[in-house]
């Protein structure tokens, strides 16, 4: 029953199908389970179950971009050429998109 309760807080990585975590702290899961089901569960028990299920803890962390992209200059040259060929009456928006990655601690 506790495992099913934990499953409702499950989240996963969009880039790696084998990585899962829970959106609440083990203490919060234990407290909410105690209130909802009137059964006492320690946060240590929740931690052990999370470890057995292979769930990690998600911690927000800022990361610097790593690696380089060999065609980066070519991309911006193409954008510049497109801007120059378009009329000045048309607005031009340039967006530099970056891949988002998740770091687990």
């Amino acid at each position: 029953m506790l495992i099913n309760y934990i499953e409702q807080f499950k989240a996963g990585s969009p880039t790696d199908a084998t990585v899962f975590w829970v959106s609440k702290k083990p203490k919060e899961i234990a407290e909410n389970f105690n209130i909802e089901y009137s059964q006492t569960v320690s946060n240590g028990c929740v931690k052990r179950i999370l470890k057995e299920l292979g769930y990690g803890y998600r911690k927000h962390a800022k990361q610097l971009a790593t690696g380089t992209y060999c065609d980066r200059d070519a991309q911006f040259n193409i954008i510049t050429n497109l801007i120059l060929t378009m009329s000045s009456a048309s607005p031009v928006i340039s967006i530099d998109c970056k891949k988002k990655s998740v770091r687990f601690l």
Side-chain angles (χ1 to χ4, degrees):
M1 184 160 57
L2 179 58
I3 293 174
N4 292 336
Y5 185 75
I6 290 172
E7 287 285 322
Q8 66 183 319
F9 304 111
K10 177 181 172 181
S13 171
T15 57
D16 187 354
T18 62
V19 178
F20 297 104
W21 62 84
V22 288
S23 59
K24 291 187 178 256
K25 294 179 182 178
K27 182 179 179 180
E28 293 172 336
I29 292 173
E31 288 173 354
N32 292 342
F33 185 81
N34 293 342
I35 292 168
E36 202 166 313
Y37 292 99
S38 300
Q39 292 183 357
T40 304
V41 176
S42 69
N43 59 342
C45 179
V46 173
K47 285 181 184 179
R48 283 191 298 276
I49 291 173
L50 291 173
K51 187 174 182 178
E52 288 173 12
L53 294 173
Y55 290 5
Y57 298 106
R58 184 174 183 196
K59 185 175 182 182
H60 296 289
K62 289 187 178 181
Q63 291 182 325
L64 296 175
T66 57
T68 58
Y69 182 64
C70 60
D71 293 330
R72 184 175 173 88
D73 289 336
Q75 286 178 335
F76 285 103
N77 287 335
I78 291 169
I79 292 170
T80 303
N81 289 334
L82 287 172
I83 292 171
L84 293 174
T85 58
M86 298 174 109
S87 70
S88 61
S90 300
V92 177
I93 299 174
S94 175
I95 301 172
D96 184 15
C97 298
K98 307 229 179 337
K99 178 184 174 187
K100 293 187 178 190
S101 60
V102 179
R103 181 175 151 192
F104 299 96
L105 299 176

